[in-house]
Amino acid sequence: LRTLDWENTQIYSIDRAAFAFCKSLKIPQLPKNLNTIKEYAFEECSAIDVITCSPRLAPIEGYAFQNCSNVDVIRISSSVRRIDNYAFAGCTNVWRMTVEAVLPPKVYDKTFDGIDRSISLIVPAGSEEVYRQAEYWKEFFIDDTHSQSPISNCQKILHEDHILILREGKVYTTMGQLVK
């Protein structure tokens, strides 16, 4: 199994461990009608590089994308209300995550286990402070520039044992606050 292109399909749920351990599987986009991703659905699918959630998806159950080590971009639609423990754990290549929900989805302490918290987290304009206050989300670098430029345009700086982010001539903490 190499590529799943579900453009004209009516898939509403991906069952538990349905595609787990498919080492060459690529998914350009999840099905548009998808509303549930069950536990372990895509566990250790190491060829997946981008995860784009469908506009109807509500929960992402535990371990759904665990150890998908090639994923570098995650896009979570505004319909997602809950992301269970270990859903994206071990996705160590992620450099950007976009969450379209104005209010942060419910996540748990191990939802993003292994993902570097200094990655860019892009949220809807005006929602930055809500995410900076939300449990677990506040650990990420909230990118309030809404820039689509890649992380390579950013530099991580170690200053007095703290990691700082240099982006477009401005210095930010890993929590996304501008350093003056």
Side-chain angles (χ1 to χ4, degrees):
L1 194 58
R2 292 237 187 260
T3 303
L4 290 176
D5 189 359
W6 359 57
E7 185 62 34
N8 296 310
T9 61
Q10 299 294 318
I11 297 174
Y12 300 99
S13 179
I14 296 178
D15 286 338
R16 186 177 201 271
F19 300 101
F21 303 100
C22 289
K23 299 294 184 196
S24 59
L25 175 67
K26 288 195 171 260
I27 49 171
Q29 184 170 332
L30 290 169
K32 290 182 176 141
N33 294 318
L34 185 66
N35 56 36
T36 304
I37 298 176
K38 300 285 186 178
E39 292 179 317
Y40 306 99
F42 294 98
E43 179 186 22
E44 293 197 33
C45 290
S46 55
I48 296 173
D49 54 0
V50 174
I51 298 170
T52 301
C53 294
S54 64
R56 296 183 181 184
L57 188 63
I60 299 175
E61 293 188 5
Y63 307 90
F65 294 97
Q66 180 183 17
N67 295 326
C68 290
S69 57
N70 201 39
V71 171
D72 55 7
V73 175
I74 298 171
R75 295 182 189 106
I76 300 171
S77 63
S78 60
S79 61
V80 174
R81 301 288 181 239
R82 187 185 85 234
I83 307 170
D84 289 344
N85 254 336
Y86 299 99
F88 294 102
C91 295
T92 55
N93 203 37
V94 174
W95 60 268
R96 183 200 329 249
M97 185 167 25
T98 301
V99 182
E100 297 173 349
V102 173
L103 296 175
K106 171 89 172 135
V107 295
Y108 302 87
D109 64 333
K110 302 292 185 185
T111 297
F112 302 109
D113 197 39
I115 295 179
D116 185 345
R117 297 308 196 256
S118 65
I119 68 164
S120 292
L121 176 62
I122 300 170
V123 299
S127 296
E128 298 90 351
E129 280 308 310
V130 176
Y131 278 83
R132 285 187 184 116
Q133 302 302 318
E135 191 169 21
Y136 307 119
W137 291 108
K138 66 184 176 185
E139 298 172 9
F140 287 97
F141 171 77
I142 310 297
D143 186 344
D144 57 9
T145 66
H146 298 281
S147 168
Q148 293 303 312
S149 61
I151 195 84
S152 61
N153 290 346
C154 302
Q155 293 179 332
K156 294 179 186 174
I157 304 165
L158 185 61
H159 176 71
E160 297 178 2
D161 293 329
H162 297 319
I163 296 174
L164 298 176
I165 308 296
L166 177 63
R167 174 173 291 160
E168 297 174 359
K170 296 179 183 175
V171 178
Y172 297 88
T173 67
T174 57
M175 302 297 280
Q177 280 88 19
L178 181 65
V179 176
K180 297 185 186 214

